[in-house]
Amino acid sequence: MSTVFSPLGAERTVLLVSLKPDTDTVDWLVSEGWHVVHAKTQQQVQRTIERVAIHVGLVQLPVSCSSQQLAELESCISQSDVAWIAEVRPGQAEDPSIRRFILDFCFDFVTLPCNDERLTILMGHADGLWSLRDTANHAKPVAVSSTMIGQCEAMLQLNRGLDKCARNEAPVFIAGESGTGKELTARAIHDRSARAKEPFVAINCAAIPPSLLQSELFGHERGAFTGALQRKIGRIEAAAGGTLFLDEIGDMPHECQAVLLRFLQEGTIERLGGTGPIKVDVRIVSATHVDLMAAIETGRFRMDLYHRLCVLRLDEPPLRERGGDIKLLAQHALDLYRRDGARKIRGFSSDAISAMFNYSWPGNVRELINCVRRAVVMAEGRFITASDLGLPGIETKCGRTLAEIRCDAERAAVRDALARHAYSLSSAAIELGISRATLYRLLNSSGLRDESPSSRHPRCVPECGDPAGEPARRGAEHMAR
């Protein structure tokens, strides 16, 4: 059982996870108005979090923290939304496993002995962070119509066209690459139309064998063919009053195209083996990644069927042309699958975002969502990195530190000044506004001394008065005497 160290009337509660709690720390927290609850095991931590509103947790690492103890601590705190603070002893943070524990699971850490006032301030910050997170989690969600996510101009234009199509009963054709979300667009048309309360039926024309496609679309009577043991209602009839979505219409067999054209012209179907027409009121939405005009030219698709299907047309933009929507969609995918991983993923690192923007996404939104889902499982840190995404052809570029940038700038300035003054140290130093000794140190530290003519030609020596020229000057004076 957990142990309570202060009255239950206290306003703020901290969960102290420790095998043997430090009494001085507990006394200080109680004096500062914290309600301290102690827990030793994973079961106690879980029961406490379920029973009490815990915002802040304090983890006191054992003196000799073994890998097993660290794993138990990770198991204790990884499944909660508590803002955790770790207390470590001098030298413990040098252990790679403890460093990873702090980075992956903790809001911050303190090294003992710690100033009590500093710990109180840090816990206040953690409590404030939890409050912000709680407000964000309970904020009223922004309504995204029919799961259509996107703020780029191409998506805004698609949404405007989608609304216009929804108010009409004419057939709609959706063109776009594979994985762009054509079925989502078709469903959005249905949801915004007057048929929203009626069925939405989808069929992938490329996934059904040609010999069965006609039966799937129009249905059949009992005994219509071998194996037809009972009547079956086709997809068109099942969508009566609603919307029928014909996905990958470009792959429909030629013999089925003629039958579909007859239905579009007359609004009636006849089941295989049937004896009469059946009137069906259904709205047709079709889509394909195939270039139908090219298919018409090669004879693979009927032109008259194309004109029947493509009364209204919407073009789905590829992901590579949607700019900032890539980050929005990646965050949406992370929100969907963040619980799939063993760690609590906080977001994407800057190099991951850069990699996503630089990738062409041939699989479009479908590829992006699957990529993020895989990265959630494979990530070893709290942020998804470019290497976690594993995008082909994308090299992870390491940023340069400020010191490296400064060093390169100094090297370039010194090289240019020396070149302008024929490698005269005095003149170059005057131009740069530094002493000759400082310039000579820069030559050594930047490696420019090896590039100077003096390193390759015996007549090019440092001037008198320079640190490097002093021994030569004394030698010349001695020979003169």
Side-chain angles (χ1 to χ4, degrees), residues 389-406:
L389 293 172
L391 297 176
I394 297 294
E395 296 182 0
T396 304
K397 297 182 179 179
C398 299
R400 295 194 304 162
T401 65
L402 185 60
E404 291 172 337
I405 296 173
R406 185 185 296 115

Side-chain angles (χ1 to χ4, degrees), residues 4 38 107 159 185 214 229 238-239 251 271 279 286 288 346 360 366:
V4 178
H38 173 227
F107 165 73
N159 268 291
T185 302
Q214 190 170 340
L229 302 179
D251 295 318
R271 303 190 193 108
K279 187 74 175 178
S286 58
T288 186
R346 292 181 179 176
S360 61
R366 183 187 296 118

Side-chain angles (χ1 to χ4, degrees), residues 272-393:
L272 295 180
T275 57
I278 302 172
K279 187 74 175 178
V280 180
D281 173 29
V282 64
R283 200 285 177 74
I284 299 295
V285 179
S286 58
T288 186
H289 71 284
V290 174
D291 184 351
L292 287 188
M293 296 308 298
I296 291 171
E297 292 178 1
T298 58
R300 291 185 294 110
F301 200 82
R302 295 177 61 114
M303 179 177 290
D304 47 2
L305 177 59
Y306 171 78
H307 290 302
R308 283 285 181 178
L309 293 172
C310 191
V311 178
L312 302 174
R313 177 181 173 122
L314 294 174
D315 289 285
E316 200 85 30
L319 183 57
R320 61 182 173 276
E321 297 178 3
R322 291 178 57 179
D325 286 357
I326 293 176
K327 187 175 179 180
L328 286 177
L329 290 163
Q331 185 61 49
H332 174 68
L334 178 59
D335 293 339
L336 287 176
Y337 300 112
R338 66 169 70 244
R339 295 187 180 276
D340 287 1
R343 303 174 184 275
K344 292 180 64 177
I345 305 297
R346 292 181 179 176
F348 298 92
S349 65
S350 58
D351 67 330
I353 294 174
S354 176
M356 288 189 289
F357 276 102
N358 291 325
Y359 184 57
S360 61
W361 297 111
N364 292 290
V365 179
R366 183 187 296 118
E367 182 183 6
L368 172 62
I369 291 175
N370 291 337
C371 180
V372 173
R373 187 175 188 180
R374 180 177 63 250
V376 167
V377 176
M378 303 305 295
E380 296 184 353
R382 299 301 293 272
F383 290 88
I384 292 177
T385 64
S387 60
D388 296 328
L389 293 172
L391 297 176

Side-chain angles (χ1 to χ4, degrees), residues 440-453:
Y440 194 72
R441 283 198 299 270
L442 287 175
L443 288 173
N444 284 329
S445 62
S446 62
L448 290 176
R449 186 183 180 190
D450 297 333
E451 299 180 10
S452 66

